[in-house]
Amino acid sequence: MAEITLRRRQTIAEGTVAFYFDKPAGFTHEAGQNAMFTLINPAEDDASGPTRPFTIASAPHEPELMIATRMRASAFKRTLAAAPLGTRLEIEGPAGVMVLHEDAARPAVFLAGGIGITPFLAMARDAAKRRLPNRLVLFYSNRRPQDAAFLAELERLEGPNFRLIATMTDVPDWPGEKRRISRELLAVHLPDLREPVYYFAGPPSMTMAVQGMLKDLGVSEDDMRSEEFYGY
Ligand SMILES: Cc1cc2nc3c(=O)[nH]c(=O)nc-3n(C[C@H](O)[C@H](O)[C@H](O)COP(=O)(O)OP(=O)(O)OC[C@H]3O[C@@H](n4cnc5c(N)ncnc54)[C@H](O)[C@@H]3O)c2cc1C
C-alpha cells in the first residue's frame, strides 16, 4: 500500500474525467495493469465502500499515474470529483493480466467498449514509446465521438504497427465503421481471425457478448485476456 497525491483532473470526453496522481517512489507497473484506489476518510460513503479498481491508463514511462472514468453518482466518484488538488489516496497494486503477450509474430487485437479503452491506451502509448515490433489492432466502440475518450490521440498514434478502427454506433453519418463489435466487423479488418491474441475490456454487457463471439470463432481461452468494468 502506498499513498498518492491528486495533482490535476481533466475532462476528456462527455461525462468522462482523467485524474492524474504523483507516482509513488519505487512504483512500477506494466502497461495495461490496474490497481486498487482507496479514498482516505471520505466525507461520504456508500454500500460499495471507499475502494475501486481502476486501470492505470498512463504508460509506465510517464512520470504520473493517470486513471480515466465515466463520472457517476456513487459516493466514491462524487468524492473524487470534488476532491481538492493535493488530496491523498491509497493505492494497492499493480495487478492484472492485461499486458501484451511476448510473441511479436502474433498480432494483438484490442476490443474496447467505451471507457474500456484505458488498458489499450496504456499499451498503445507504451508500444509507441518503446518502438515495439508487435502489430496492434484496436477496435474502439462508442455511441458517439464525444463519448470516445482519447480518440484524437489514438488517431495520431496510428502507424504501420498500430491500426485503429473507431466505430460509432449512434451516428448515421459517421464516415467510418458504425457496426458494433461483431464477427462481421472483425472479418472485414483482420486477414485471419484465429491468428491474434484478443484483449477486451468494457461494461459487462459488452465483455460477455465479445467473449461469446470469440468462443464461437473458435478462439481458445488462452488467447483471450479481458477485464470486466462492472458498475456500468
Ligand atoms: C480490473 C478493473 C479495471 C477497471 N478499470 C476501470 C477504468 O479504467 N475506468 C473505469 O471507469 N472503471 C474501471 N473499472 C470499474 C470501476 O472499478 C467501477 O466499478 C466503475 O467505474 C463504476 O464505479 P461506480 O462507483 O459508479 O459504481 P460501483 O459502486 O463501483 O458499482 C456499481 C455496481 O457494481 C456492483 N459491483 C461492485 N463491485 C463488484 C464486483 N467486485 N463484482 C461485481 N459487481 C460489483 C455494485 O454492487 C453495484 O451494483 C475497472 C474494474 C475492474 C475490475
Side-chain angles (χ1 to χ4, degrees), residues 110 137-141 151 158 163-167 176-177 181 185 189-190:
F110 300 150
V137 184
L138 167 63
F139 292 83
Y140 185 17
S141 178
L151 182 60
E158 272 203 278
R163 277 194 61 210
L164 168 70
I165 296 110
T167 179
E177 283 291 355
I181 292 172
L185 181 66
H189 296 278
L190 301 174

Side-chain angles (χ1 to χ4, degrees), residues 119-136:
F120 308 126
L121 176 74
M123 287 196 255
R125 284 183 177 179
D126 182 53
K129 171 74 179 173
R130 295 198 287 142
R131 298 175 186 274
L132 295 182
N134 305 59
R135 279 171 299 149
L136 313 177

Side-chain angles (χ1 to χ4, degrees), residues 34 46 48 51-57 67-77 115-116 118-119 227-232:
N34 62 78
D46 62 18
S48 300
T51 303
R52 295 287 183 286
F54 288 107
T55 302
I56 302 168
I67 62 172
T69 189
R70 302 280 199 226
M71 298 317 290
R72 298 283 192 258
S74 67
F76 182 98
K77 290 192 176 174
I115 197 60
T118 48
E227 241 148 39
E228 183 181 287
F229 288 12
Y230 54 76
Y232 288 109

